[in-house]
Amino acid sequence: MQNRYSFGGDEHLFVECDESMSLEAFFKSLSMTNAVRDSQIKGVTEICPANASFQIKFNPDIIRPDDMLREVQAIESAASKTDPVIATRIIEIPVFYQDPWTHETLMRFRERHQDPKATDLEYAARINNYATVDDFIAAHAGSPWFVSMVGFVAGLPFMYQMVDRPRQIQVPKYLRPRTDTPKLTIGYGGCFSCIYSVRGAGGYQMFGITPMPIFDPEQKTSYLRDFMVFFRPGDIVKFKPIGREEYDHTVEQVAAGRFTPAISDVTFDLREFQKDIDGYNARLEGMINGR
């Protein structure tokens, strides 16, 4: 579909790239937000990319809303002619699946869940036709994920699975939101995985927890000293299942300032990915820290 434009008062322009989420819609949104940023339109104060849309905040005393609309529409025309290739990074995120902390939390909120007699992982495995929880975890951790947007709460990444649509995991949110979710929980709602950057309310299914901080407003974490938010749209994430021993060790390493996330810079080409999804993913994963 062509982009759909609407104004939010006199200082916001909202651009909808598609009515549903897809990698194509995400790439269109990302390429346009990058182009808007590179164009340095006078009066733009903030650019907020989302899963299949984005919003621009601008100062109407510097640029009129209609002029902003014309500028962005011109960028849409130019962006449609560019190749779907981005320079990004692939990041390995350790995950302790079936951890005791999310398990204790989910058991406190069974009355708000679709299946009060099952854990979140058991429910997710069943409705996605996996024979066991271990099979489901293997599917969740078995392919990379695109960070399509960061927000809702500070530093929280929404991640879209890099597989063909028939294999995408689908899990509804809780019937009623919880009033508690442990910090750094790996959550799932609809077609998106996420990491809860802070403790708080939430409605996504809980699958595990990572020992790796992703948001630090005090910027004391060794790899967050330059910027308090770890993720950015376009990042590629690969989950790595770990056990309790490695989880505890990583927590200790983080506290001591000795933990460094496994990250590699990569170039992602959407067309090459679509030709051979599994092969392309395998090559990406092999690039993590030069593996």
Side-chain angles (χ1 to χ4, degrees):
M1 62 173 274
Q2 285 191 324
N3 285 350
R4 183 179 299 158
Y5 295 86
S6 58
F7 288 108
D10 292 331
E11 55 185 3
H12 292 92
L13 177 65
F14 178 71
V15 186
E16 184 181 11
C17 299
D18 208 320
E19 293 180 348
S20 61
M21 175 61 196
S22 67
L23 284 178
E24 292 81 2
F26 163 65
F27 259 75
K28 187 176 182 182
S29 170
L30 186 64
S31 65
M32 284 199 63
T33 53
N34 287 341
V36 170
R37 186 176 296 108
D38 293 342
S39 68
Q40 298 184 335
I41 302 169
K42 289 184 179 180
V44 171
T45 59
E46 190 173 358
I47 305 168
C48 182
N51 301 317
S53 62
F54 61 94
Q55 184 166 278
I56 299 171
K57 184 178 182 181
F58 58 92
N59 184 341
D61 292 330
I62 297 177
I63 183 169
R64 292 164 50 88
D66 288 344
D67 292 334
M68 174 60 70
L69 175 61
R70 279 191 288 271
E71 291 272 8
V72 178
Q73 285 176 326
I75 287 172
E76 176 186 3
S77 178
S80 66
K81 300 179 178 66
T82 61
D83 294 332
V85 179
I86 60 170
T88 185
R89 56 185 186 167
I90 184 166
I91 306 156
E92 187 174 77
I93 304 294
V95 180
F96 182 14
Y97 290 93
Q98 303 187 86
D99 67 282
W101 306 284
T102 59
H103 180 79
E104 185 276 330
T105 303
L106 68 87
M107 294 305 293
R108 283 192 278 123
F109 293 97
R110 282 299 85 189
E111 80 283 356
R112 304 185 184 209
H113 196 270
Q114 292 87 347
D115 188 349
K117 296 182 179 180
T119 66
D120 293 5
L121 274 168
E122 289 168 344
Y123 170 70
R126 176 172 59 79
I127 67 171
N128 283 278
N129 298 314
Y130 288 96
T132 67
V133 165
D134 287 342
D135 290 339
F136 179 83
I137 291 172
H140 185 265
S143 60
W145 300 73
F146 254 119
V147 175
S148 55
M149 64 175 285
V150 179
F152 185 70
V153 296
L156 184 151
F158 288 87
M159 294 171 282
Y160 187 74
Q161 194 175 21
M162 293 168 60
V163 295
D164 54 308
R165 191 171 291 272
R167 287 189 288 165
Q168 284 183 350
I169 296 168
Q170 301 280 342
V171 190
K173 296 188 289 186
Y174 275 43
L175 297 175
R176 289 187 294 128
R178 301 176 303 275
T179 56
D180 190 22
T181 307
K183 179 182 178 181
L184 299 178
T185 289
I186 309 300
Y188 210 99
C191 66
F192 291 102
S193 199
C194 79
I195 303 174
Y196 283 78
S197 53
V198 297
R199 182 179 181 180
Y204 276 25
Q205 310 284 335
M206 296 184 290
F207 294 165
I209 201 163
T210 178
M212 178 184 151
I214 60 170
F215 173 62
D216 181 3
E218 297 181 348
Q219 293 179 248
K220 293 181 179 179
T221 305
S222 59
Y223 54 89
L224 294 174
R225 286 176 183 152
D226 292 334
F227 192 57
M228 66 180 70
V229 172
F230 180 73
F231 287 108
R232 52 187 183 240
D235 280 343
I236 300 172
V237 169
K238 182 63 172 65
F239 294 122
K240 174 191 174 185
I242 62 173
R244 178 62 186 266
E245 184 176 349
E246 185 171 351
Y247 174 88
D248 290 341
H249 176 69
T250 304
V251 169
E252 292 173 0
Q253 293 292 102
V254 169
R258 292 193 295 266
F259 177 77
T260 302
I263 305 174
S264 291
D265 293 329
V266 297
T267 298
F268 181 85
D269 187 322
L270 180 62
R271 296 163 305 184
E272 294 301 314
F273 168 80
Q274 291 172 330
K275 290 177 184 177
D276 178 14
I277 292 175
D278 292 338
Y280 198 90
N281 283 343
R283 291 193 294 276
L284 282 174
E285 292 166 25
M287 297 176 188
I288 300 175
N289 275 4
R291 285 207 311 253

